Amino acid sequence: MTTTAELIADDPLWLIVLKVVVIFVFLVVMTLLTIWAERRVIGRMQHRPGPNRAGPFGILQSLADGLKLAFKEDIRPVLADKWVFFLAPVISATPAMVSFSVMPIGPEVTIFGERTALQLVDLPVGLLVVLACASIGVYGIVLAGWASGSPYPLLGSLRSAAQVISYEIAMGLSFVAVIMYSGTLSTSGIVEAQADGWFFLLLPFSFAVYVVAMVGETNRAPFDLPEAESELVGGFHTEYSSLKFALFFLAEYINMVTVSALATTLFLGGWHAPWPLSLIGDGVLNTGWWPALWFVGKTVAFLFFFIWLRGTLPRLRYDQFMNLGWKFLVPLSLVWIIAVTVIRALRNEETVTSQQFLIGGGIVIVVLLAATFLIPDRKPGKDADEVPLAGSGYPIPPLDLEVPKTPPRRTPVRSGAAGEVAGPEGEEAPHGNV
């Protein structure tokens, strides 16, 4: 049992309840602030003010939208499954909050005279808890699409299921190298293993794979295929309104906070102060309540990264999205795991020094880059039915093109009898068709 786990095991009931309430309030407040920041930042990127009416700088706009949703009429479609339609948003939001319970926000502190750690629970398999909660959360989306009784929500839910399966595999593979270097699945143990160096420098490819996978896992742009407004109206939550829709909205942003906190824990040293602040006073900024500030600051940086992506990149096509997960991230992650295993084995046996390893790695990178630039691109084969193009890039019409003749107009011809109309050949037409 780790030191953090021993401290948490002695927590009295009132302190556990206090931590639960603080985590819940923190996640809700972070959701409100993230929504406001997203609208303001994207507004600045698009040269418009964003929300600026409710409260100073429009900071109360998210709260006003939440109150508006609470008082909206709750509509349930006639074809919807009543109980599943109701439980789906709850299933989607609950695991998002539970997974944050294993995040180490800070080291040992004293709260009202009681020594404890800034963490709700420290499990030996903390990373698996996060993956399990992410897997359960997608059930809410799938059930919401199925229970709505509408084709567009169903398509969005099926997209979400395929998306989570694809990118959860890549996310799990990005954890393997971190577990190998830290020697534990405990989140607090992983943070302690980064006291002398953060893993994003030691394992850059694992960090890159996790960043891509966390964006795909949370259904955020450019991977927001389950709720593609231009294709599916709104995706899996098209038929939802009032507080049920608010729960889906809450689940999405809490998931963003959770995966950002997990990225901080795994790759950015967790609650450790960044260099050179960590050198001040022999690490005094890594004690007390200071680490909570560094943890929140790193998490906010990842949230800004989410917002930046949404304001910058267009939505991918579905085939591009699946190819990226299955044909790029998963195979390269497997190769990376093998490379990390070989490197650790060689370093443990001391057959290769660090200098030799760096020189060899640099040579391999140079060779790969040279091969990438020197290998000529394969030219696509010519299609026999391909339409030739002019110099300006416009297609050339075929030389034997014949424009069909314009058919004769069917002009009605009046006959001698009043009120009777004859057709083009003189036959009598029905009465009243003039």
Side-chain angles (χ1 to χ4, degrees):
M1 183 180 290
T2 62
T3 306
T4 302
E6 292 177 355
L7 284 172
I8 295 174
D10 294 332
D11 285 350
L13 180 60
W14 64 266
L15 186 54
I16 296 174
V17 174
L18 178 63
K19 288 183 178 181
V20 170
V21 173
V22 169
I23 288 177
F24 177 77
V25 173
F26 172 76
L27 291 176
V28 173
V29 171
M30 285 296 292
T31 297
L32 296 176
L33 293 179
T34 303
I35 296 172
W36 167 78
E38 180 172 15
R39 298 172 70 179
R40 290 285 296 188
V41 171
I42 293 180
R44 295 291 294 175
M45 290 179 176
Q46 298 173 349
H47 300 285
R48 54 184 178 81
N52 58 359
R53 298 287 183 179
F57 305 104
I59 200 168
L60 298 180
Q61 185 64 52
S62 301
L63 182 61
D65 291 340
L67 293 174
K68 177 192 70 174
L69 285 174
F71 288 100
K72 270 196 169 185
E73 182 181 2
D74 189 8
I75 300 173
R76 177 168 59 88
V78 176
L79 299 179
D81 187 294
K82 178 180 179 181
W83 293 109
V84 179
F85 188 80
F86 172 76
L87 289 176
V90 178
I91 296 174
S92 183
T94 303
M97 299 182 183
V98 173
S99 58
F100 198 85
S101 61
V102 298
M103 300 298 169
I105 302 175
E108 179 182 342
V109 294
T110 302
I111 300 178
F112 299 119
E114 188 74 29
R115 293 175 57 250
T116 185
L118 290 179
Q119 186 176 350
L120 180 58
V121 60
D122 184 24
L123 299 174
V125 289
L127 286 183
L128 297 184
V129 171
V130 178
L131 283 177
C133 290
S135 302
I136 295 173
V138 73
Y139 279 99
I141 295 176
V142 174
L143 292 176
W146 175 81
S148 296
S150 180
Y152 284 143
L154 181 59
L155 287 174
S157 64
L158 294 178
R159 282 185 176 187
S160 181
Q163 179 170 328
V164 170
I165 292 172
S166 304
Y167 282 80
E168 201 164 280
I169 294 175
M171 179 181 288
L173 291 175
S174 69
F175 292 169
V176 174
V178 175
I179 296 169
M180 291 171 60
Y181 270 87
S182 61
T184 180
L185 285 167
S186 170
T187 51
S188 62
I190 293 173
V191 172
E192 292 175 2
Q194 299 179 74
D196 298 326
W198 294 358
F199 283 159
F200 92 96
L201 294 173
L202 190 61
L203 305 168
F205 186 77
S206 295
F207 176 65
V209 170
Y210 177 82
V211 168
V212 176
M214 78 176 185
V215 179
E217 185 79 10
T218 52
N219 301 333
R220 293 283 301 181
F223 302 144
D224 54 341
L225 277 304
E227 52 187 72
E229 295 86 355
S230 58
E231 308 158 30
L232 304 178
V233 184
F236 60 92
H237 53 61
T238 300
E239 305 293 347
Y240 281 86
S241 61
S242 189
L243 285 178
K244 295 186 182 68
F245 177 78
L247 280 178
F248 279 122
F249 216 64
L250 186 69
E252 177 181 333
Y253 281 88
I254 289 180
N255 274 323
M256 289 172 55
V257 177
T258 301
V259 297
S260 300
L262 185 61
T264 299
T265 301
L266 295 180
F267 298 102
L268 295 188
W271 44 260
H272 287 107
W275 186 88
L277 297 178
S278 58
L279 304 178
I280 298 176
D282 293 331
V284 68
L285 296 181
N286 284 328
T287 59
W289 292 88
W290 283 105
L293 177 62
W294 315 133
F295 180 86
V296 173
K298 297 172 187 177
T299 302
V300 169
F302 275 105
L303 292 174
F304 175 78
F305 176 73
F306 275 104
I307 298 171
W308 188 17
L309 284 182
R310 180 174 179 180
T312 305
L313 299 180
R315 183 182 298 125
L316 295 179
R317 291 199 320 265
Y318 195 71
D319 60 323
Q320 295 173 333
F321 174 72
M322 299 304 288
N323 287 338
L324 176 63
W326 287 104
K327 295 183 179 180
F328 184 79
L329 294 183
V330 172
L332 290 185
S333 296
L334 294 173
V335 174
W336 171 252
I337 292 171
I338 295 173
V340 171
T341 304
V342 172
I343 292 170
R344 283 185 60 82
L346 294 176
R347 292 186 63 180
N348 291 338
E349 295 178 2
E350 297 182 355
T351 56
V352 179
T353 63
S354 299
Q355 185 177 4
Q356 292 173 341
F357 168 72
L358 292 175
I359 294 174
I363 293 174
V364 171
I365 293 174
V366 170
V367 170
L368 291 176
L369 290 176
T372 302
F373 288 107
L374 294 179
I375 295 177
D377 294 334
R378 184 179 63 181
K379 295 182 178 180
K382 292 186 177 180
D383 189 0
D385 298 330
E386 184 179 1
V387 178
L389 300 178
S392 58
Y394 293 101
I396 301 175
L399 299 179
D400 57 348
L401 178 64
E402 294 183 2
V403 180
K405 296 181 179 179
T406 304
R409 296 180 60 185
R410 293 178 58 89
T411 55
V413 180
R414 293 186 176 275
S415 62
E420 297 180 354
V421 180
E425 303 296 334
E427 69 270 12
E428 184 177 338
H431 290 283
N433 293 338
V434 179

